[in-house]
Every structure is written in C-alpha cells, then in structure tokens.
Amino acid sequence: AGFKLAEMSICPYLDLSVVKSNIASDGTKSQYLLESSNNLIVENHCSPIEDLDSLIKNEILDISKETFSSDRFHMDPSCKKSIADARIGLWVELDLFKENKNYCTYLKTNKGLIGFLIWNQAGDLILAGLSKNFIGKGFGKTLYIQSILDAMNAGLEDVSSSIAVNNLPVLNLYSKLGFSFRSPKYTLHYWS
C-alpha cells in the first residue's frame, strides 16, 4: 500500500520503587546520587516548562537542532534535509514548550547548558538531549539520574519512554539504570 518500515522503537520503563529502595533511611541518596555527584556539575535544575527563562529555552532549542540530525524523516526521499533537520526543534518550540504539564530537568555549567530532559506528570520521559560538547563524558547518565530523582520527588510511581532501537548508547544507558523494556513498536511512513 506504499508504506515502508521507517523505525522500530522500544519502550523502556522504570518502577520508581527501585529508586526509592536505593535511598537510605536517613534520607541520603545512595548509588544514584553518588553516581551523579562524580561529575563536575555547576547546577542542576528542575522546572515547569512555563517557568524556564528564554536563555535556557534557546539553549534547549539549539541542542535539539544539533543533536537530532538523523531520524526517520531523514530517510524520506521527499522530505528536504533542512525540514528533517528542523523537525525536532520545531516540535520542542511549538508543542513541548507550550504544554504546561511538562517539566524540564537540565544541567548547566557557567559555560552553558549541558543537556535537558523534558518529562511530564504522566511519567513520560519525552525528549532528552546533550550539547555536543558534553557527549561521551558521563553527563547523559547524570541527566537521567537527576530526572528520575525529580520525577520521584514529584510523586510519580514509574517513568517510561520510547526510543529507536538503533540508538544503542541510550538503550545501554536505560539498561544500566535498571529500566525494563516492553514490546517494540513499528513506525511506518507513506513515501510517495
């Protein structure tokens, strides 16, 4: 019928009682906090999307445009590269920034934003991105750990996401953080 397989995704999820069990009875956080504190982070923040200042929003847009430069839209022969490159940035700007139920956990230094993870009260980890200057230095793990702690502190019982199966670094990260995986989803596109 003209549809072709564009992407297979997998759905990682984490019962936050696993995280709670790693928090000592005296209120100190065990392995999660210890792992995140090994990195030199000047600041970490969690904020409702509506409370983000314009500088942070602009840095998030910049990261979303530079990080997501290959996906199923880049495979579409009738989609211009410039449109495919702009897709994630437009999604962030026109949808995710306008949804007041979304939150953003972000890490920054005095030199700028390290990375961000946008999530919601339903427990969906919607989108994460790291500045290309900080990829491969352990900040992704720290960002996810901090986001998990923020979700737990917001009263969530579990978190979940959806990720392309070919994104091996992030799939490995989910696995290291104790996530389980649900059945894959298949995305089909109609390319004329």
Side-chain angles (χ1 to χ4, degrees):
F3 286 89
K4 295 185 180 183
L5 176 66
E7 183 177 79
M8 186 169 74
S9 301
I10 198 157
C11 300
Y13 67 96
L14 178 65
D15 180 344
L16 293 181
S17 65
V18 172
V19 178
K20 289 177 185 175
S21 69
N22 285 311
I23 297 177
S25 59
D26 63 0
T28 59
K29 298 168 182 72
S30 63
Q31 82 181 51
Y32 287 103
L33 186 59
L34 291 174
E35 289 175 6
S36 65
S37 66
N38 288 334
N39 294 300
L40 301 174
I41 298 170
V42 174
E43 299 174 20
N44 61 59
H45 297 274
C46 178
S47 173
I49 287 289
E50 61 200 27
D51 293 343
L52 292 176
D53 68 38
S54 59
L55 178 63
I56 294 294
K57 283 185 173 182
N58 286 335
E59 288 183 281
I60 289 171
L61 285 173
D62 290 344
I63 290 173
S64 67
K65 291 173 186 173
E66 75 184 15
T67 303
F68 305 101
S69 58
S70 66
D71 65 2
R72 62 185 181 264
F73 287 87
H74 289 86
M75 295 169 38
D76 184 342
S78 61
C79 183
K80 293 181 183 177
K81 183 179 179 335
S82 60
I83 293 171
D85 288 347
R87 184 182 79 87
I88 297 293
L90 290 171
W91 177 44
V92 170
E93 184 175 19
L94 301 176
D95 290 332
L96 299 183
F97 281 170
K98 298 203 185 308
E99 178 54 64
N100 291 334
K101 295 178 184 172
N102 289 341
Y103 289 81
C104 183
T105 298
Y106 61 94
L107 307 175
K108 62 183 271 187
T109 69
N110 57 353
K111 295 180 181 179
L113 196 65
I114 294 170
F116 69 92
L117 196 152
I118 297 173
W119 55 279
N120 64 25
Q121 279 291 322
D124 302 315
L125 304 178
I126 301 169
L127 181 68
L130 286 179
S131 168
K132 62 183 173 184
N133 300 326
F134 296 100
I135 292 175
K137 298 180 180 177
F139 289 106
K141 185 176 185 180
T142 302
L143 176 63
Y144 274 86
I145 290 168
Q146 189 60 50
S147 299
I148 290 166
L149 292 171
D150 291 340
M152 185 184 69
N153 290 334
L156 300 184
E157 295 180 12
D158 54 58
V159 292
S160 62
S161 189
S162 178
I163 185 167
V165 295
N166 64 349
N167 191 344
L168 295 178
V170 178
L171 282 174
N172 286 333
L173 175 59
Y174 278 125
S175 182
K176 288 177 187 174
L177 292 176
F179 280 75
S180 298
F181 299 92
R182 293 187 174 121
S183 299
K185 296 179 185 178
Y186 300 93
T187 302
L188 304 174
H189 274 215
Y190 182 79
W191 292 326
S192 56

